[in-house]
């Protein structure tokens, strides 16, 4: 693993863990983000996906080396250089396939990568396994915060676009927008939120309904909002909690 790059050997790169997931067969996927220790260094940033066997040994059946390095030469799109924009939880597994969301690319929209168990990209998904994330339209500056996979394999992405609004978009298994969800595949919060992204999070209930949180920009209140499984608002469910004052948590 460590002979991939002399820069990595010389400890010129810092690593940030972005997620750990177990496959159905017990194998373990680990996603890391590697960036130059000197953040002003324009050197290449990498996403490194490693797979372990169930006993913790390296799985050499994954890309022949147990790891996959994703950077500009492997992806159709450039992984933007700022670590600030890399979401914390962006690794998912479905039917032993990996699904990674990174963002932004080319200082604009995020990117979903979907790959097979042997570390090849899934050619049936998007553009040879890669799909640009559009949370508020094709040309918006979208920042994805978290991805979730439904039981049917559809992909939910939560984040924000060019304004202070929560956006959730759903993709089909082939990477196309699921137009049965929300408004042409997208839900956009009616309420603007404070502190772009902040502690934004979302989750899936067992009945397919979606819950997410935001801090109301006007009142400062923390809110929990729930959507129906089809991406429409559940109008009788909004929970306000915490202190409604500037600087509340």
């Amino acid at each position: 693993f460590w002979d991939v790059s002399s820069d990595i050997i010389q400890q010129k790169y810092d690593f940030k863990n972005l997620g750990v997931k177990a496959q159905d067969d017990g194998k373990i996927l680990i996603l890391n983000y590697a960036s130059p220790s000197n953040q002003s260094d324009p050197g290449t940033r990498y996403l490194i996906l490693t797979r372990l066997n169930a006993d913790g040994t390296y799985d050499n059946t994954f890309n022949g080396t147990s790891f996959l390095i994703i950077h500009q030469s492997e992806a159709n799109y450039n992984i933007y250089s700022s670590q600030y924009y890399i979401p914390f939880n962006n690794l998912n597994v479905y039917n032993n396939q990996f699904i990674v969301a990174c963002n932004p690319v080319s200082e604009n929209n995020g990117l979903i990568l979907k790959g097979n168990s042997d570390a090849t990209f899934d050619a049936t998904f998007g553009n040879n396994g890669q799909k640009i994330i559009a949370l508020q339209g094709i040309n918006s500056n979208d920042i994805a915060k978290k991805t979730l996979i439904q039981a049917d394999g559809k992909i939910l992405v939560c984040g924000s676009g060019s304004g202070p609004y929560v956006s959730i978009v759903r993709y089909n298994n082939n990477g196309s927008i699921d137009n049965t969800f929300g408004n042409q595949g997208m839900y956009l919060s009616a309420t603007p939120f404070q502190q772009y992204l902040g502690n934004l999070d979302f989750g899936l209930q067992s009945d397919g309904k979606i819950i997410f949180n935001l801090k109301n920009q006007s009142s400062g209140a923390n809110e929990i909002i729930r959507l129906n499984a089809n991406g429409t608002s559940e109008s009788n469910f909004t929970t306000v909690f915490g202190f409604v004052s500037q600087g509340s948590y």
Side-chain angles (χ1 to χ4, degrees), residues 106-123:
S106 300
E107 305 184 36
N108 198 355
N109 300 65
L111 180 69
I112 298 173
L113 305 170
K114 186 176 182 181
N116 300 309
S117 184
D118 61 359
T120 59
F121 287 124
D122 181 357

Side-chain angles (χ1 to χ4, degrees), residues 156-204:
L156 288 165
V157 182
C158 181
S160 70
S162 55
Y165 296 90
V166 174
S167 182
I168 300 174
V169 64
R170 188 163 73 187
Y171 294 94
N172 295 309
N173 289 347
N174 64 359
S176 62
I177 293 285
D178 179 6
N179 289 318
T180 68
F181 181 82
N183 182 9
Q184 296 183 335
M186 186 183 308
Y187 164 85
L188 188 65
S189 69
T191 304
F193 64 93
Q194 289 183 355
Q195 301 171 343
Y196 290 78
L197 295 187
N199 294 320
L200 175 65
D201 199 1
F202 82 136
L204 273 172

Side-chain angles (χ1 to χ4, degrees), residues 1-247:
F1 181 88
W2 298 107
D3 62 358
V4 174
S5 166
S6 60
D7 283 344
I8 294 177
I9 292 176
Q10 295 170 30
Q11 299 181 342
K12 293 181 180 180
Y13 274 72
D14 291 331
F15 287 80
K16 179 180 179 180
N17 179 259
L18 298 180
V20 178
K21 295 287 183 179
Q23 297 184 171
D24 294 338
D25 57 7
K27 293 183 177 183
I28 302 165
L29 285 168
I30 304 168
L31 182 67
N32 284 285
Y33 174 67
S35 63
S37 299
N38 180 359
Q39 288 297 302
S40 63
D41 187 336
T44 303
R45 271 69 173 167
Y46 302 89
L47 290 174
I48 302 177
L49 186 62
T50 305
R51 192 167 71 190
L52 307 179
N53 293 307
D55 63 1
T57 58
Y58 287 110
D59 178 12
N60 289 325
T61 67
F62 186 73
N63 200 37
T65 57
S66 81
F67 62 89
L68 174 66
I69 295 181
I70 304 166
H71 57 83
Q72 187 172 0
S73 63
E74 273 85 24
N76 294 330
Y77 311 97
N78 180 38
I79 296 172
Y80 183 42
S81 60
S82 175
Q83 184 175 4
Y84 174 81
Y85 290 108
I86 299 296
F88 174 73
N89 185 356
N90 63 353
L91 171 64
N92 286 280
V93 174
Y94 181 76
N95 284 348
N96 292 332
Q97 287 187 303
F98 66 84
I99 300 169
V100 171
C102 58
N103 71 80
V105 290
S106 300
E107 305 184 36
N108 198 355
N109 300 65
L111 180 69
I112 298 173
L113 305 170
K114 186 176 182 181
N116 300 309
S117 184
D118 61 359
T120 59
F121 287 124
D122 181 357
T124 68
F125 180 83
N127 180 10
N128 194 31
Q130 305 175 47
K131 177 69 178 181
I132 287 287
I133 298 170
L135 288 170
Q136 286 190 29
I138 295 174
N139 296 318
S140 63
N141 296 318
D142 296 336
I143 304 299
K145 176 65 175 178
K146 187 175 181 180
T147 58
L148 291 173
I149 313 301
Q150 296 184 170
D152 58 3
K154 292 184 178 181
I155 302 170
L156 288 165
V157 182
C158 181
S160 70
S162 55
Y165 296 90
V166 174
S167 182
I168 300 174
V169 64
R170 188 163 73 187
Y171 294 94
N172 295 309
N173 289 347
N174 64 359
S176 62
I177 293 285
D178 179 6
N179 289 318
T180 68
F181 181 82
N183 182 9
Q184 296 183 335
M186 186 183 308
Y187 164 85
L188 188 65
S189 69
T191 304
F193 64 93
Q194 289 183 355
Q195 301 171 343
Y196 290 78
L197 295 187
N199 294 320
L200 175 65
D201 199 1
F202 82 136
L204 273 172
Q205 297 185 173
S206 58
D207 59 2
K209 291 184 177 182
I210 301 163
I211 53 175
F212 70 91
N213 69 296
L214 60 76
K215 187 171 184 179
N216 190 300
Q217 188 180 67
S218 299
S219 67
N222 296 286
E223 299 181 3
I224 297 292
I225 297 171
R226 187 163 67 190
L227 308 181
N228 296 307
N230 65 358
T232 58
S233 297
E234 186 174 346
S235 57
N236 61 347
F237 183 95
T238 296
T239 298
V240 178
F241 64 96
F243 296 102
V244 183
S245 63
Q246 186 175 3

